[in-house]
Amino acid sequence: RDKIPHLPEIHVESSLNLLLRRAKENRTVDIEEYETTGGYSALKKALNKFSPEDIVVLVEESTLRGRGGAGFPTGRKWRFALMNPPPRYLVCNADESEPGTFKDRIIIERDPHLLLEGMIIAGYALGAKEGYIYIRGEYPAGYLILENAIKEAKDRGYLGKNILGTDFSFDIKVYRGAGAYICGEETALLESLEGKRGHPRLRPPYPAQSGLYGKPTVVNNVETLSNIPIIVTYEAYFMNIGPSGFYGPKLFPVSGKVEKPGVYEATMDITLRELIEMAGGVKGGKQVKAVFAGALGVYREDELDMPMDYSPKGFGGTGTTIVLDEDDCVIDALLVVTQFFHHESCGKCTPCRIGTYEQHQILKKLKEGKATHKDIDYLRHLSQNIPANSICGLGFSAPNAVSDVLRKFPEEVEAHLKGKCRICG
Ligand code: NAD
Ligand code: SF4
């Protein structure tokens, strides 16, 4: 514990007290405090009251959607894995790296046993004997905290052989990434776990069918797995939390020009406008110009009333909200995003490797007032062709922000073409 680096100050607020119940203060909750505040009672309930199949049905009925960004129904993913013979693996994707996303780290750093409890219950439901947590290399404190929490859980019989005196045995190992965003893509993550270069595999087959070492593997995000103890505790009452079809708590990392940047827990019927208000509103009482939603896209002020759910008209994704105000240049923000995708492209597909580079070069020209309408047409062409000819989520989403800015902020693009941006000069 002495070796654990100082945790960064991140503001945390919750109107629900579920996922963030123990995570409000900037410190790690140890196993004693976790137990005295109800921790590991969901695991005891799961092992005493439910069969593995009961747990899978509970998760299916909860309609829990994956919190890593795609919103795929968790119960359905588990069911797919169960259709394939053991051995099965459980992998927790803790390679949180999407621009502006820092929600999973709050659970890992402050309430690690919540994640471990979720993983142990998931392991029981899936008939898995081994679980892995793949944590991004830039979370050194999180890595040490998880290692320590695993040791605590083993000492108290929650992990290892014959958990709590039952015939269920399960172990968890933590694996550190080395700083590549692409290793958050689930198949690249599995390659990396196997000790190979982190390049995505073609899907299908999905990991649920053929994952780690070619065996059925469930890859779930940190926040998704942390919902499992809550589902087991609340059972059918879980469906009273949040709007129909999008049940359960959700974490929203909010940053940029807001009064109180931080991680917020709310139900998914909260709108983007309400979320920004929850974060204290725009800094200095200014107007929202744009919201960058991680890799998902860019929204205008007149779209702020959308719900933060996974419906076609909802915000979706990881819930990442980066707020730009009236004095921010949208092209400046776009340059940061395109530089990121160019840098992080693994290079396996030529349209992604070259296209992300070209996107960034054209935007640099635009910023300098040297781009032409022909360049903008080429940007549009790239926005269609990079995703159409790429094999993984990075290539699919790399042009999202670019095409949104071209479509939703034409006046900003035009001002830069004329070299007359009010903000850049
Ligand atoms: P996806 O929609 O292709 O898949 C989502 C999940 O469902 C995967 O686990 C996949 O294996 C599973 N799945 C889908 N169809 C299936 C089927 N027929 N059978 C079995 N399983 C199936 O999305 P993706 O490419 O895995 O992920 C993209 C998302 O990741 C984006 O929304 C992006 O926002 C997000 N992302 C998040 C971060 C982060 O830091 N949290 C980083 C990068 C990307
Ligand atoms: Fe690599 Fe991009 Fe192809 Fe994904 S789309 S495999 S990141 S080159």
Coordinates of all heavy atoms in Angstrom, one line a residue, residues 348-409:
K348 N -2.6 -1.5 -39.4 CA -2.9 -2.8 -40.1 C -3.7 -2.5 -41.4 O -3.4 -3.2 -42.4 CB -3.7 -3.7 -39.2 CG -4.0 -5.1 -39.7 CD -4.5 -6.0 -38.6 CE -4.9 -7.3 -39.1 NZ -5.2 -8.3 -38.0
C349 N -4.6 -1.6 -41.4 CA -5.4 -1.3 -42.6 C -4.9 0.0 -43.2 O -4.9 1.0 -42.5 CB -6.9 -1.1 -42.3 SG -7.6 -2.2 -41.0
T350 N -4.6 0.0 -44.5 CA -4.1 1.2 -45.1 C -5.0 2.4 -45.1 O -4.6 3.5 -44.7 CB -3.7 0.9 -46.6 OG1 -2.9 -0.3 -46.6 CG2 -3.0 2.0 -47.3
P351 N -6.3 2.2 -45.3 CA -7.2 3.4 -45.3 C -7.2 4.1 -43.9 O -7.3 5.3 -43.8 CB -8.6 2.8 -45.6 CG -8.3 1.6 -46.3 CD -7.1 1.0 -45.7
C352 N -7.1 3.3 -42.8 CA -7.0 3.9 -41.5 C -5.6 4.5 -41.2 O -5.5 5.7 -40.8 CB -7.3 2.9 -40.4 SG -7.1 3.4 -38.7
R353 N -4.6 3.8 -41.6 CA -3.2 4.3 -41.3 C -2.9 5.6 -42.1 O -2.5 6.6 -41.5 CB -2.2 3.2 -41.8 CG -0.8 3.6 -41.5 CD 0.2 2.5 -41.9 NE 0.3 2.4 -43.4 CZ 0.0 1.3 -44.0 NH1 -0.5 0.2 -43.4 NH2 0.1 1.3 -45.4
I354 N -3.3 5.6 -43.4 CA -3.0 6.8 -44.2 C -4.1 7.8 -44.0 O -3.8 9.0 -44.0 CB -2.9 6.4 -45.7 CG1 -1.9 5.3 -45.9 CG2 -2.5 7.6 -46.6 CD1 -0.5 5.6 -45.8
G355 N -5.3 7.4 -44.0 CA -6.5 8.3 -43.9 C -6.4 9.2 -42.7 O -6.7 10.4 -42.7
T356 N -6.1 8.6 -41.5 CA -6.1 9.4 -40.3 C -4.9 10.4 -40.3 O -5.1 11.5 -39.8 CB -5.9 8.5 -39.0 OG1 -4.8 7.6 -39.2 CG2 -7.1 7.6 -38.8
Y357 N -3.8 10.1 -41.0 CA -2.7 11.0 -41.2 C -3.2 12.2 -42.1 O -3.0 13.4 -41.8 CB -1.5 10.3 -41.8 CG -0.4 11.2 -42.3 CD1 0.5 11.8 -41.4 CD2 -0.3 11.6 -43.7 CE1 1.4 12.7 -41.8 CE2 0.7 12.4 -44.1 CZ 1.6 13.0 -43.2 OH 2.5 13.8 -43.6
E358 N -3.9 11.8 -43.2 CA -4.3 12.9 -44.1 C -5.4 13.8 -43.5 O -5.3 15.0 -43.7 CB -4.9 12.2 -45.4 CG -3.8 11.3 -46.1 CD -3.6 11.7 -47.5 OE1 -4.6 11.8 -48.2 OE2 -2.4 11.8 -47.9
Q359 N -6.3 13.2 -42.7 CA -7.3 14.0 -42.0 C -6.6 15.1 -41.2 O -6.9 16.3 -41.3 CB -8.0 13.2 -41.0 CG -9.2 12.4 -41.5 CD -10.1 11.8 -40.4 OE1 -11.2 11.6 -40.6 NE2 -9.5 11.6 -39.2
H360 N -5.6 14.7 -40.5 CA -4.9 15.6 -39.6 C -4.1 16.7 -40.4 O -4.1 17.9 -40.0 CB -3.9 14.8 -38.7 CG -3.3 15.7 -37.6 ND1 -4.1 16.3 -36.7 CD2 -2.0 16.0 -37.4 CE1 -3.2 17.0 -35.9 NE2 -2.0 16.8 -36.3
Q361 N -3.5 16.3 -41.5 CA -2.7 17.2 -42.3 C -3.6 18.3 -42.9 O -3.3 19.5 -42.9 CB -2.0 16.5 -43.4 CG -0.9 15.6 -43.0 CD 0.1 16.2 -42.0 OE1 0.6 17.3 -42.2 NE2 0.3 15.6 -40.9
I362 N -4.8 17.9 -43.4 CA -5.7 18.9 -44.0 C -6.2 19.8 -42.9 O -6.3 21.0 -43.1 CB -6.9 18.2 -44.7 CG1 -6.4 17.3 -45.8 CG2 -8.0 19.2 -45.2 CD1 -7.4 16.4 -46.4
L363 N -6.5 19.3 -41.7 CA -7.0 20.2 -40.7 C -5.9 21.2 -40.2 O -6.2 22.3 -39.9 CB -7.5 19.3 -39.5 CG -8.9 18.7 -39.8 CD1 -9.2 17.6 -38.9 CD2 -10.0 19.8 -39.7
K364 N -4.7 20.7 -40.3 CA -3.6 21.6 -39.9 C -3.5 22.8 -41.0 O -3.4 24.0 -40.6 CB -2.2 20.9 -40.0 CG -1.9 20.3 -38.6 CD -0.6 19.8 -38.3 CE 0.5 19.5 -39.1 NZ 1.5 18.6 -38.6
K365 N -3.7 22.4 -42.3 CA -3.8 23.4 -43.3 C -5.0 24.4 -43.1 O -4.9 25.6 -43.2 CB -4.0 22.8 -44.7 CG -2.8 22.5 -45.5 CD -3.0 21.7 -46.7 CE -3.4 22.5 -47.9 NZ -3.7 21.7 -49.1
L366 N -6.1 23.8 -42.7 CA -7.3 24.6 -42.4 C -7.0 25.6 -41.3 O -7.4 26.8 -41.4 CB -8.5 23.7 -42.1 CG -9.8 24.4 -41.9 CD1 -10.3 25.0 -43.3 CD2 -10.9 23.3 -41.5
K367 N -6.4 25.1 -40.3 CA -6.1 26.0 -39.1 C -5.2 27.1 -39.5 O -5.3 28.3 -39.0 CB -5.4 25.1 -38.0 CG -4.7 25.8 -36.9 CD -5.6 26.2 -35.8 CE -4.9 27.0 -34.8 NZ -5.7 27.7 -33.9
E368 N -4.3 26.9 -40.4 CA -3.3 27.9 -40.9 C -3.9 28.8 -41.9 O -3.3 29.7 -42.5 CB -2.1 27.3 -41.4 CG -1.2 26.6 -40.3 CD -0.2 25.6 -40.9 OE1 -0.1 25.4 -42.2 OE2 0.4 24.8 -40.1
G369 N -5.2 28.6 -42.3 CA -5.9 29.4 -43.3 C -5.4 29.1 -44.7 O -5.5 29.9 -45.6
K370 N -4.8 27.9 -44.9 CA -4.2 27.5 -46.2 C -5.1 26.5 -47.0 O -4.7 26.1 -48.1 CB -2.8 27.0 -46.1 CG -1.8 28.1 -45.6 CD -0.5 27.4 -45.4 CE 0.5 28.4 -44.8 NZ 1.7 27.8 -44.2
A371 N -6.2 26.0 -46.4 CA -6.9 25.0 -47.1 C -7.9 25.5 -48.1 O -8.3 26.7 -48.0 CB -7.7 24.2 -46.0
T372 N -8.3 24.7 -49.0 CA -9.3 25.1 -50.1 C -10.5 24.3 -50.0 O -10.6 23.3 -49.2 CB -8.7 24.9 -51.5 OG1 -8.5 23.4 -51.6 CG2 -7.4 25.6 -51.7
H373 N -11.6 24.6 -50.8 CA -12.8 23.8 -50.8 C -12.5 22.4 -51.2 O -13.2 21.4 -50.8 CB -13.9 24.5 -51.6 CG -14.6 25.6 -50.9 ND1 -14.2 26.9 -51.1 CD2 -15.5 25.6 -50.0 CE1 -15.0 27.7 -50.4 NE2 -15.8 26.9 -49.6
K374 N -11.5 22.2 -52.1 CA -11.2 20.9 -52.6 C -10.6 20.0 -51.4 O -10.9 18.8 -51.4 CB -10.0 21.1 -53.7 CG -10.2 20.1 -54.8 CD -9.2 20.4 -55.9 CE -8.9 19.1 -56.7 NZ -7.9 19.3 -57.6
D375 N -9.9 20.7 -50.5 CA -9.4 19.9 -49.3 C -10.6 19.4 -48.5 O -10.6 18.3 -48.0 CB -8.5 20.8 -48.5 CG -7.2 21.1 -49.2 OD1 -6.6 20.2 -49.7 OD2 -6.7 22.3 -49.1
I376 N -11.6 20.3 -48.4 CA -12.8 19.9 -47.5 C -13.5 18.8 -48.2 O -14.0 17.9 -47.5 CB -13.7 21.2 -47.3 CG1 -12.9 22.3 -46.7 CG2 -14.9 20.8 -46.5 CD1 -12.3 22.0 -45.3
D377 N -13.6 18.8 -49.5 CA -14.2 17.7 -50.2 C -13.5 16.4 -50.0 O -14.1 15.3 -49.8 CB -14.3 17.9 -51.8 CG -15.3 19.0 -52.1 OD1 -16.1 19.3 -51.3 OD2 -15.2 19.6 -53.2
Y378 N -12.2 16.5 -50.0 CA -11.3 15.3 -49.7 C -11.5 14.8 -48.3 O -11.6 13.6 -48.0 CB -9.9 15.6 -50.0 CG -8.9 14.4 -49.9 CD1 -9.3 13.2 -50.5 CD2 -7.7 14.5 -49.1 CE1 -8.4 12.1 -50.4 CE2 -6.9 13.4 -49.0 CZ -7.3 12.2 -49.7 OH -6.4 11.1 -49.5
L379 N -11.7 15.8 -47.3 CA -12.0 15.4 -45.9 C -13.3 14.6 -45.9 O -13.4 13.6 -45.2 CB -12.1 16.6 -45.1 CG -11.0 17.1 -44.2 CD1 -11.5 18.2 -43.3 CD2 -10.3 16.0 -43.4
R380 N -14.3 15.0 -46.6 CA -15.6 14.3 -46.7 C -15.4 12.9 -47.2 O -16.0 11.9 -46.7 CB -16.6 15.1 -47.5 CG -17.1 16.3 -46.8 CD -18.5 16.8 -47.4 NE -18.8 18.0 -46.7 CZ -18.5 19.2 -47.2 NH1 -17.9 19.4 -48.3 NH2 -18.8 20.3 -46.5
H381 N -14.6 12.8 -48.3 CA -14.3 11.6 -48.9 C -13.7 10.6 -47.9 O -14.1 9.4 -47.8 CB -13.4 11.8 -50.2 CG -12.8 10.6 -50.8 ND1 -13.5 9.8 -51.7 CD2 -11.6 10.0 -50.6 CE1 -12.8 8.8 -52.1 NE2 -11.6 8.9 -51.4
L382 N -12.7 11.1 -47.2 CA -12.0 10.3 -46.2 C -13.0 9.8 -45.1 O -12.9 8.7 -44.6 CB -10.9 11.1 -45.5 CG -9.6 11.4 -46.4 CD1 -8.7 12.3 -45.6 CD2 -8.9 10.0 -46.7
S383 N -13.9 10.8 -44.7 CA -14.8 10.4 -43.6 C -15.7 9.2 -44.0 O -16.2 8.5 -43.1 CB -15.7 11.6 -43.3 OG -15.0 12.6 -42.8
Q384 N -16.0 9.1 -45.3 CA -16.8 7.9 -45.7 C -15.9 6.7 -45.9 O -16.3 5.6 -45.6 CB -17.5 8.3 -47.1 CG -18.6 9.2 -46.9 CD -19.2 9.7 -48.2 OE1 -18.7 9.4 -49.3 NE2 -20.2 10.5 -48.1
N385 N -14.7 6.9 -46.4 CA -13.9 5.8 -46.9 C -13.1 5.1 -45.8 O -12.8 3.9 -45.9 CB -13.1 6.1 -48.1 CG -14.0 6.1 -49.3 OD1 -14.4 5.1 -49.8 ND2 -14.4 7.3 -49.8
I386 N -12.7 5.9 -44.8 CA -11.9 5.3 -43.7 C -12.7 4.2 -43.0 O -12.3 3.0 -42.9 CB -11.3 6.3 -42.7 CG1 -10.4 7.3 -43.4 CG2 -10.6 5.6 -41.6 CD1 -9.9 8.4 -42.5
P387 N -13.9 4.5 -42.5 CA -14.7 3.5 -41.8 C -15.1 2.3 -42.8 O -15.2 1.2 -42.3 CB -16.0 4.2 -41.3 CG -15.9 5.6 -41.8 CD -14.6 5.9 -42.5
A388 N -15.4 2.7 -44.0 CA -15.9 1.6 -44.9 C -14.8 0.6 -45.2 O -15.1 -0.5 -45.7 CB -16.4 2.3 -46.2
N389 N -13.6 0.9 -45.0 CA -12.5 0.0 -45.4 C -11.5 -0.3 -44.3 O -10.4 -0.6 -44.5 CB -11.7 0.7 -46.6 CG -12.5 0.8 -47.8 OD1 -12.9 -0.1 -48.4 ND2 -12.9 2.1 -48.1
S390 N -12.1 -0.2 -43.0 CA -11.3 -0.6 -41.9 C -11.9 -1.8 -41.2 O -13.1 -2.1 -41.4 CB -11.3 0.6 -40.9 OG -10.6 1.7 -41.4
I391 N -11.1 -2.4 -40.3 CA -11.6 -3.6 -39.7 C -12.0 -3.5 -38.3 O -12.6 -4.4 -37.7 CB -10.7 -4.8 -39.9 CG1 -9.4 -4.6 -39.0 CG2 -10.4 -5.1 -41.3 CD1 -8.7 -6.0 -38.7
C392 N -11.7 -2.3 -37.6 CA -12.0 -2.3 -36.2 C -12.6 -0.9 -35.8 O -12.6 0.0 -36.6 CB -10.8 -2.6 -35.3 SG -9.8 -1.2 -34.9
G393 N -13.1 -0.9 -34.6 CA -13.7 0.3 -34.1 C -13.0 1.6 -34.2 O -13.5 2.7 -34.4
L394 N -11.6 1.5 -34.2 CA -10.8 2.8 -34.3 C -11.1 3.4 -35.7 O -11.3 4.6 -35.8 CB -9.3 2.5 -34.0 CG -8.5 3.8 -33.9 CD1 -7.3 3.5 -33.0 CD2 -8.0 4.4 -35.2
G395 N -10.9 2.6 -36.7 CA -11.2 3.1 -38.0 C -12.6 3.5 -38.3 O -12.9 4.5 -39.0
F396 N -13.6 2.8 -37.6 CA -15.0 3.1 -37.8 C -15.3 4.5 -37.2 O -16.1 5.2 -37.7 CB -15.9 2.1 -37.1 CG -15.8 0.7 -37.6 CD1 -16.1 -0.4 -36.8 CD2 -15.3 0.4 -38.9 CE1 -16.0 -1.7 -37.2 CE2 -15.2 -0.9 -39.3 CZ -15.5 -2.0 -38.5
S397 N -14.6 4.8 -36.1 CA -15.0 6.0 -35.4 C -14.0 7.2 -35.6 O -14.3 8.3 -35.3 CB -15.1 5.8 -33.9 OG -13.9 5.2 -33.4
A398 N -12.8 7.0 -36.2 CA -11.8 8.0 -36.3 C -12.4 9.3 -37.1 O -12.0 10.4 -36.7 CB -10.6 7.5 -37.0
P399 N -13.2 9.1 -38.1 CA -13.7 10.3 -38.8 C -15.0 10.9 -38.2 O -15.5 11.9 -38.7 CB -14.0 9.8 -40.2 CG -13.6 8.4 -40.3 CD -13.6 7.9 -38.9
N400 N -15.6 10.3 -37.1 CA -16.8 10.8 -36.6 C -16.8 12.3 -36.3 O -17.7 13.0 -36.7 CB -17.2 10.1 -35.3 CG -17.7 8.7 -35.5 OD1 -18.0 8.3 -36.7 ND2 -17.9 7.9 -34.5
A401 N -15.8 12.7 -35.5 CA -15.8 14.1 -35.1 C -15.6 15.0 -36.3 O -16.2 16.1 -36.4 CB -14.7 14.4 -34.1
V402 N -14.8 14.6 -37.3 CA -14.5 15.4 -38.5 C -15.8 15.6 -39.3 O -16.2 16.7 -39.6 CB -13.5 14.7 -39.4 CG1 -13.2 15.6 -40.7 CG2 -12.1 14.6 -38.6
S403 N -16.5 14.5 -39.6 CA -17.7 14.6 -40.4 C -18.8 15.4 -39.6 O -19.5 16.2 -40.2 CB -18.3 13.3 -40.9 OG -18.4 12.4 -39.8
D404 N -18.9 15.3 -38.3 CA -19.8 16.1 -37.5 C -19.5 17.6 -37.6 O -20.4 18.4 -37.8 CB -19.9 15.6 -36.0 CG -20.8 14.5 -35.8 OD1 -21.4 14.0 -36.8 OD2 -20.9 14.0 -34.7
V405 N -18.3 17.9 -37.5 CA -17.9 19.4 -37.6 C -18.2 19.9 -39.0 O -18.7 21.0 -39.1 CB -16.4 19.6 -37.2 CG1 -15.9 21.0 -37.5 CG2 -16.2 19.4 -35.7
L406 N -17.9 19.1 -40.0 CA -18.2 19.6 -41.4 C -19.7 19.9 -41.6 O -20.1 20.8 -42.2 CB -17.7 18.6 -42.4 CG -16.2 18.4 -42.5 CD1 -15.8 17.4 -43.6 CD2 -15.4 19.7 -42.7
R407 N -20.5 19.0 -41.0 CA -21.9 19.1 -41.2 C -22.6 20.1 -40.2 O -23.5 20.8 -40.6 CB -22.5 17.7 -40.8 CG -23.8 17.3 -41.4 CD -24.0 15.8 -41.5 NE -23.6 15.1 -40.3 CZ -24.4 15.0 -39.2 NH1 -25.6 15.5 -39.2 NH2 -23.9 14.3 -38.2
K408 N -22.1 20.1 -39.0 CA -22.8 20.9 -38.0 C -22.2 22.3 -37.7 O -22.9 23.2 -37.1 CB -22.9 20.2 -36.6 CG -23.6 18.8 -36.7 CD -23.6 18.1 -35.4 CE -24.2 16.8 -35.5 NZ -24.3 16.1 -34.2
F409 N -21.0 22.5 -38.2 CA -20.3 23.8 -37.9 C -19.8 24.4 -39.2 O -18.6 24.8 -39.3 CB -19.2 23.7 -36.9 CG -19.7 23.2 -35.5 CD1 -19.9 21.9 -35.2 CD2 -20.0 24.2 -34.5 CE1 -20.3 21.5 -34.0 CE2 -20.5 23.8 -33.3 CZ -20.7 22.4 -33.0

